Amino acid sequence: MMQILPLTAAHCRAQCAAIARWWAEHAVDPAGGFYGQINDDGSVELNANKGIILNTRILWFFSEAAVFLDCTDCLTLARRAYHYLLEHFDDSTAGGVFWELDAQGQLVNGKKQTYAQAFAIYALCAYYKATNEQHALDKALTYFQLLEQYSWDREKQGYLEAFSQHWQSLQDLRLSEKDLNYPKTMNTHLHVLEAYTALYQQHSCVEVQLALERLTVLFSQRIVNTDNGHLRLFLDLDWIDYSSSYSYGHDIEACWLLWEALQGLNDQHLLNQYRPLVLQMANVALQQGLCSDGHLADEWHIASETLQQQSCWWVQAEALVGFLTAWRLTGDIRFFRASEKLWAYIQQQHIDPVGGEWHWLAVSAPERASQYKVGFWKGPYHNGRAMMAAALLLEQGH
């Protein structure tokens, strides 16, 4: 039986190192880059396509881990991910990054999803921080300019969801099959916010500052529903909400990413103005989404008024950081106790003590074995980032 470790910075750092080792030992594709899919049992799908989201998240993780762990092996893998991104995913003709390649690195889908361009910016900023290679920052700024040119809605504000390879309009804007087909989404705005925060940290020019300030205010006013502390998930061009559910994982992720953006801007007026909103979101997740065993539920379905209690790895990872952030902001012990219980749950239900990495779904979920450990939507980003962020939050004041 797995020993349940207490929630400490040292244990979070150790788990981050374990995640890095697993990816280094299992995910590297000898033919180039990283495998497109590894199943829950550890078997590799050699012919799986390679998605931009997985590959930017790998680049982000190994770049950040190289600094966080002072790890030369992580830096080597960050360089591998960086060169694969530029050689295979970067569109040298129309600009931006492609959505999907086949297992050999050939183009399958060249659409320009705003969400994907944001992750490319985020990853390149991490790589620049780790290496100080100017070309990485220059490329991030190029992608930033493309989003401002093509994706920003100059009439109604906000970032539009998706475009063709050559930045033309599309009928199907969806990020994935589970999403609704609307031109503006919470998820895309959240990760553009995350990307612009990282870009401003590495390149604090006025243009990036103004874009980040504008997006921070827009997210706080248009995406967050201040009446209930939840995020509006799917919106039309006029910002009318068509959400069918509340996403507790995104609520708690957004609360700490929004606070990170506000801290990055270091504008005391904005910090004071939106601090109560950040804490409202954390409180709502704590009061409404926590299940008796300590994990954060996936969703609340509005029409049926039912709670989907399924435990996804990324929701628990983000909740750990969100609750620790709220604890540091308030000193409220409820948030720390929730973090402790959640950490125990993660160890029992998501971390694989035999095969390594984290299970997509809790071990107790009947369908767990059918999910992958590596794939289009699962990289070392949510859990790896959570371990780094949690360790830093726990180390504050020590």
Side-chain angles (χ1 to χ4, degrees):
M1 185 174 179
M2 182 179 183
Q3 180 187 3
I4 303 303
L5 302 173
L7 179 58
T8 67
H11 290 145
C12 291
R13 284 182 173 274
Q15 179 57 208
C16 180
I19 292 168
R21 281 195 304 274
W22 188 92
W23 282 79
E25 292 170 2
H26 294 84
V28 175
D29 182 352
F34 298 82
Y35 290 124
Q37 184 172 322
I38 301 176
N39 299 320
D40 191 74
D41 64 4
S43 59
V44 178
E45 297 290 341
L46 294 173
N47 292 320
N49 286 357
K50 300 183 178 188
I52 184 61
I53 303 305
L54 172 60
N55 281 267
T56 49
R57 289 175 173 181
I58 289 172
L59 172 56
W60 179 88
F61 172 73
F62 279 116
S63 298
E64 290 288 349
V67 176
F68 182 76
L69 299 171
D70 191 20
C71 174
T72 54
D73 288 342
C74 289
L75 187 59
T76 298
L77 291 171
R79 294 190 194 282
R80 181 184 186 88
Y82 173 68
H83 289 294
Y84 195 85
L85 176 79
L86 293 187
E87 291 165 13
H88 295 273
F89 281 102
D90 180 67
D91 186 343
S92 60
T93 303
V97 288
F98 300 130
W99 181 247
E100 186 175 8
L101 311 174
D102 66 16
Q104 289 72 45
Q106 300 302 307
L107 181 62
V108 170
N109 187 343
K111 72 172 180 175
K112 301 296 166 56
Q113 203 83 26
T114 298
Y115 181 99
Q117 314 310 310
F119 265 102
I121 294 169
Y122 190 52
L124 289 165
C125 289
Y127 184 75
Y128 173 71
K129 181 170 72 172
T131 64
N132 206 34
E133 291 183 24
Q134 185 63 38
H135 185 255
L137 180 60
D138 292 343
K139 182 61 74 171
L141 288 165
T142 298
Y143 293 162
F144 165 77
Q145 295 289 353
L146 286 166
L147 284 189
E148 294 303 300
Q149 178 181 350
Y150 292 111
S151 183
W152 178 253
D153 182 349
R154 288 170 176 76
E155 182 181 356
K156 303 290 180 65
Q157 298 194 314
Y159 290 89
L160 302 174
E161 192 69 6
F163 304 87
S164 71
Q165 180 177 338
H166 295 280
W167 301 95
Q168 303 301 311
S169 60
L170 292 175
Q171 291 298 313
D172 187 352
L173 305 169
R174 294 174 301 165
L175 185 63
S176 71
E177 292 181 356
K178 65 179 288 187
D179 291 312
L180 303 181
N181 191 25
Y182 283 94
K184 295 173 184 175
T185 71
M186 168 283 304
N187 210 4
T188 287
H189 282 82
L190 178 62
H191 293 293
V192 174
L193 178 73
E194 168 188 70
Y196 283 13
T197 300
L199 184 59
Y200 187 58
Q201 288 172 347
Q202 301 307 318
H203 186 74
S204 55
C205 69
V206 173
E207 187 179 11
V208 176
Q209 177 187 348
L210 293 176
L212 179 57
E213 286 176 350
R214 181 181 66 186
L215 179 53
T216 301
V217 173
L218 185 74
F219 195 92
S220 302
Q221 295 179 349
R222 292 290 197 180
I223 305 292
V224 184
N225 184 342
T226 55
D227 291 337
N228 60 23
H230 291 294
L231 300 173
R232 300 180 174 103
L233 305 184
F234 299 100
L235 307 113
D236 67 11
L237 289 172
D238 296 310
W239 297 100
I240 296 172
D241 183 16
Y242 290 89
S243 306
S244 59
S245 63
Y246 302 135
S247 173
Y248 291 112
H250 287 113
D251 287 346
I252 197 66
E253 181 184 16
C255 101
W256 78 265
L257 285 176
L258 179 58
W259 185 248
E260 186 177 65
L262 290 163
Q263 286 182 306
L265 287 167
N266 197 27
D267 181 319
Q268 198 59 50
H269 173 72
L270 289 177
L271 283 163
N272 293 339
Q273 182 177 1
Y274 292 117
R275 183 178 185 273
L277 182 62
V278 167
L279 294 176
Q280 179 192 13
M281 296 165 71
N283 266 302
V284 167
L286 185 77
Q287 294 167 10
Q288 297 179 12
L290 276 183
C291 301
S292 60
D293 59 7
H295 85 275
L296 188 66
D298 192 11
E299 292 182 335
W300 173 265
H301 296 285
I302 297 171
S304 63
E305 296 187 342
T306 56
L307 186 68
Q308 183 176 325
Q309 295 194 36
Q310 174 177 267
S311 177
C312 294
W313 98 101
W314 73 267
V315 175
Q316 311 321 317
E318 297 302 336
L320 185 68
V321 181
F323 289 144
L324 284 174
T325 299
W327 167 61
R328 281 301 187 192
L329 279 172
T330 63
D332 188 336
I333 198 65
R334 294 178 306 140
F335 290 116
F336 187 74
R337 295 290 178 243
S339 302
E340 285 186 312
K341 194 170 182 180
L342 183 57
W343 173 236
Y345 179 89
I346 288 169
Q347 293 175 81
Q348 292 170 312
Q349 294 289 336
H350 285 285
I351 297 175
D352 185 346
V354 178
E357 239 290 328
W358 292 26
H359 299 296
W360 181 303
L361 297 178
V363 170
S364 56
E367 64 275 37
R368 187 262 300 168
S370 66
Q371 304 292 330
Y372 49 66
K373 277 186 178 173
V374 173
F376 211 92
W377 293 104
K378 190 173 186 298
Y381 153 78
H382 286 291
N383 54 352
R385 180 173 70 172
M387 294 302 95
M388 290 186 257
L392 294 174
L393 285 162
L394 290 163
E395 288 166 353
Q396 284 183 18
H398 292 283

